[in-house]
Amino acid sequence: MTSTPMSNIPEILARLRRSVAEGRARPIEWRRRQLDGLEALLVEHQDDFARALAEDLGKSPAESWLTEIGFLLTEIRYVRKRLARWLTPERVRTPLATLPGRSWVQREPLGLVLILGAWNYPVQLTLGPLVAAVAAGNCAVLKPSELAPASAAEMAQRVGEYLDRDGVALIEGGVDRATELLAEPFDAIFYTGGTAVGRIVMQAAARHLTPVTLELGGKCPCLVDRNVNLPVAARRIVWGKFLNAGQTCVAPDYVLVDRRRHDELLAAMVDAVGRFYGREPRASADFGRIVNRRHFQRLERLLEHDGSPTGRVILGGDRDADSRYFPPTILADVSPDAPVMQEEVFGPILPVLAVEDMDEAIRFVNSRPKPLALYLFSNDARLRDRVLGETSSGGVGINDVAMHTTVPGLPFGGVGPSGMGAYHGRHGFETFSHRKAILQRGTRGDFNLRYPPYTPAKMRWLRRLLGRA
Ligand code: NAD
């Protein structure tokens, strides 16, 4: 892997800060040019990106398109089409006490922002925030994850070719580069990754009072009620779980199913895996690989609990550490205390737990940290309202998994330990913008009322004007 020489970083940052000072990224034409550049970069090099993603994660070309390249193109086009409208100053009512006058909110760029990407969707999670950052008129430094080196190298090469070098820079490297960058003052930091590093990022940001967006993870529960179309539920759950070999922040982490449908759901899920990946998923072009040996070993450890197998293996099979092939694995009869139910799985292991009813499922979810996503499969509108009203999570999918992240109008982000702040579509534009409050008044007339000395008569009028008479 190439790595940006350390000495270059101060130089790069000085160049970008100069651009911020000159207002280089403010004009809408600059923003549109960067969005066009990003689009061209992705369209013209989609095969190169697909190759890099296959190298890093064994992603199939179809998956690379659906979850990275195509996803980003949709986002770019959505944002570009609406950008002028989002930039239009937003009029707000001016109260009596400040009349005559006009008030409005105007979005302005924050300045220079740092984007730290994660490895599981290395292109989407690095360039996606960039779409929002440049749309909002910021200069940006990207630091993709070192754990997806081929994708990082591809982005490093293309960003320099297609985007304004005085406005956007990509710095390759690992923890040392991230640490070096975090010591610098930025106007915003956007981080995607695990909770532990999220804390480090927030601490570093606090030194400069830099606002942060943290896109973190956690265990996303999937509740399956008794009254559902089980084959459809099973297909959707299995698809969302085994996509990218389970290395998806919004993948269903575990299933809580009504005891009465437990066995049927297991059978339907095994059937769905067979249909998607065949009897030998290792041979399927559509099933990915674990990112590295460390994560492979971490997943192996999750299959054990106190020296015994974790639960009953409903589906699984041979693994291959050399090629980092970890098969789709479904576990039943899992103890809530098992490690696989304590930490985020982030791999192709799906524990399924039976519950008496959905009340128990809701209590279970509420006894644990707030997740990034929560899924409910049910046709019962009352239960749906209860789950929405009684639980908290970054997002919710009802009768589907992961797909809510593809709706551009919906904010994507966590709550509590699953993160803070959000992006996608307008929400990303807002995240990277400052909402400047403006009141403009004329100078022809000037009521004396607000100026001292405050006589009783003036106070009476003021109280009346301010609505507290
Ligand atoms: P990672 O190891 O790729 O790290 C993410 C970024 O943090 C990288 O750029 C890395 O260089 C940097 N980093 C790592 N250690 C650092 C340190 N000590 N100091 C400063 N920077 C450091 O990613 P990860 O943490 O393995 O990602 C997996 C986690 O991310 C999972 O928990 C997953 O759920 C979560 N995730 C969340 C989202 C989301 O959008 N909410 C998306 C993907 C992944």
Side-chain angles (χ1 to χ4, degrees), residues 115-121 125 143-148 173-176 178-179 182 191-195 197 200-201 214-218 247-250 294-295 344 346 372 412-414 418 423:
I115 295 168
L116 296 169
W119 53 264
N120 57 335
Y121 290 87
L125 298 176
K143 213 296 285 164
S145 174
E146 68 279 17
L147 300 189
V175 177
D176 48 350
T179 308
L182 285 171
Y191 167 79
T192 304
T195 307
V197 177
I200 297 174
V201 170
L214 301 179
E215 296 282 341
L216 309 178
Q247 302 164 113
T248 303
C249 54
V250 290
R294 182 170 61 83
H295 277 280
E344 180 181 359
F346 219 57
L372 182 59
F412 175 54
S418 54
Y423 70 128

Side-chain angles (χ1 to χ4, degrees), residues 216-252:
L216 309 178
K219 291 180 83 62
C220 301
C222 178
L223 279 49
V224 181
D225 188 18
R226 56 193 285 211
N227 89 52
V228 281
N229 178 340
L230 266 195
V232 171
R235 266 203 301 276
R236 292 182 182 172
I237 294 170
V238 160
W239 172 80
K241 178 68 191 186
F242 297 119
L243 185 76
N244 199 23
Q247 302 164 113
T248 303
C249 54
V250 290

Side-chain angles (χ1 to χ4, degrees), residues 440-451:
Q440 178 184 312
R441 308 204 57 198
T443 51
R444 277 215 199 120
D446 194 20
F447 286 116
N448 196 25
L449 215 50
R450 75 184 218 206
Y451 302 118

